[in-house]
Amino acid sequence: MKRNYWEKMAPHYQEEIFDVLQNDKKKWIARSIRTYANPQHQVIDIGCAVGKWLPILSPLFKKVIALDISSNNLKIAQSLFPNLKNISYRQGDMSNNRLRLQPAEMGVCINALLTPHAKDRAIFFKNLQRCIKAGGTLILTVPSVESYLLTRIIQQQYKIDAALFSERLTKEKAFQNWKNLNQGVLNIDNVPHKHFLQEELSLSLLQHQFEPIQFKRIEYDWDTEFVKPPRWLKRPRPWDWLVVAKKITK
Ligand SMILES: C[S@@+](CC[C@H](N)C(=O)[O-])C[C@H]1O[C@@H](n2cnc3c(N)ncnc32)[C@H](O)[C@@H]1O
């Protein structure tokens, strides 16, 4: 998932890309942002895409840096929110070691740390560390390995959407699909996305001077995973991980 992927996706973004803001029914992410927001502070929306979170962030902070790898996404965001005057749009790649950002008191990164490449992720984490001030807050949402596997297990056990899952994979295709399972890299719509275990995420954050202070499941309805979820299937629900982490002061 390099820049080209996101640039090409931009015109179709609204139809193709899962909307975390709309599907977070309990509004845990917005609530966390409000808890730690300060009108004297600056926030970076890391991987802001077409700017869905900007109307929430703009009134809560002095300044918002809207950062994305895709300049096409940023153009759309700018055109959608001309009335938000405290936003600076910035094209930049969090997986580039040369990225330089002025550190902010808060970083919000909602499903943008998705790259399947371990090296790119390592730099992404380093840039998260660099772009948030000591004592600042990171609000991070990522796909969950646990939820992904739960969904596959339930699908097979109860034969949900059986016709859609009936394709017999060749050995080569099966290998392609699952070869990076042991690294939490799993396909969403045939595109490899990094998914995280809770403990793994905790460890990666600690390695980058962030102390996780709260983990939450952002729970979704089953119709976000299945075309026809059985009516009895309620809990557990599929989820992404939300973690609130504090940048450690030295
Ligand atoms: C799934 S979208 C999420 C967008 C937004 N945070 C939201 O919740 O609506 C992921 C976004 O992250 C951006 N992105 C992916 N990798 C990135 C990187 N290395 N640096 C900056 N932005 C990146 C993509 O361009 C895309 O807009």
Side-chain angles (χ1 to χ4, degrees), residues 126-154:
K126 269 195 193 149
N127 278 323
L128 284 178
Q129 182 177 344
R130 287 183 190 131
C131 77
I132 298 172
K133 289 184 181 174
T137 310
L138 171 65
I139 294 181
L140 176 67
T141 302
V142 290
S144 148
V145 169
E146 299 90 331
S147 176
Y148 190 101
L149 292 180
L150 175 73
T151 302
R152 266 74 213 160
I153 289 166
I154 290 179

Side-chain angles (χ1 to χ4, degrees), residues 2-3 67 69 90-101 115 119-128 130:
K2 299 284 182 184
R3 178 173 177 185
L67 176 97
I69 197 171
R90 167 89 197 267
Q91 191 279 329
D93 179 359
M94 288 292 284
S95 294
N96 185 332
N97 238 331
R98 291 189 302 268
L99 180 70
R100 289 292 169 262
L101 291 167
T115 173
K119 272 189 194 160
D120 288 347
R121 266 195 315 279
I123 302 172
F124 202 119
F125 271 108
K126 269 195 193 149
N127 278 323
L128 284 178
R130 287 183 190 131

Side-chain angles (χ1 to χ4, degrees), residues 81-211:
F81 304 109
N83 52 327
L84 304 178
K85 301 295 182 202
N86 61 345
I87 318 259
S88 289
Y89 293 92
R90 167 89 197 267
Q91 191 279 329
D93 179 359
M94 288 292 284
S95 294
N96 185 332
N97 238 331
R98 291 189 302 268
L99 180 70
R100 289 292 169 262
L101 291 167
Q102 209 196 343
E105 286 84 0
M106 186 186 280
V108 171
C109 182
I110 311 300
N111 282 15
L113 175 44
L114 303 170
T115 173
H117 307 290
K119 272 189 194 160
D120 288 347
R121 266 195 315 279
I123 302 172
F124 202 119
F125 271 108
K126 269 195 193 149
N127 278 323
L128 284 178
Q129 182 177 344
R130 287 183 190 131
C131 77
I132 298 172
K133 289 184 181 174
T137 310
L138 171 65
I139 294 181
L140 176 67
T141 302
V142 290
S144 148
V145 169
E146 299 90 331
S147 176
Y148 190 101
L149 292 180
L150 175 73
T151 302
R152 266 74 213 160
I153 289 166
I154 290 179
Q155 187 280 318
Q156 283 213 355
Q157 200 158 336
Y158 302 103
K159 301 188 175 30
I160 302 169
D161 292 345
L164 289 175
F165 289 89
S166 63
E167 185 195 1
R168 286 189 75 83
L169 297 181
T170 59
K171 266 190 207 156
E172 292 73 22
K173 187 86 199 308
F175 176 72
Q176 277 307 318
N177 281 0
W178 300 107
K179 66 179 179 183
N180 290 319
L181 167 64
N182 66 0
Q183 289 306 310
V185 175
L186 298 155
N187 282 0
I188 301 178
D189 296 333
N190 292 317
V191 180
H193 286 66
K194 171 63 181 157
H195 292 59
F196 289 83
L197 296 168
Q198 181 177 5
E199 292 77 4
E200 171 203 3
L201 188 54
S202 197
L203 185 60
S204 293
L205 288 169
L206 284 167
Q207 291 291 318
H208 293 87
Q209 282 189 301
F210 287 104
E211 177 87 53

Side-chain angles (χ1 to χ4, degrees), residues 48-49 51 54 64-68 73-82 84 87-91:
C48 67
L54 297 179
V64 182
I65 311 295
L67 176 97
D68 204 275
N73 273 344
L74 292 172
K75 276 183 212 149
I76 296 171
Q78 253 173 310
S79 72
L80 289 176
F81 304 109
L84 304 178
I87 318 259
S88 289
Y89 293 92
R90 167 89 197 267
Q91 191 279 329

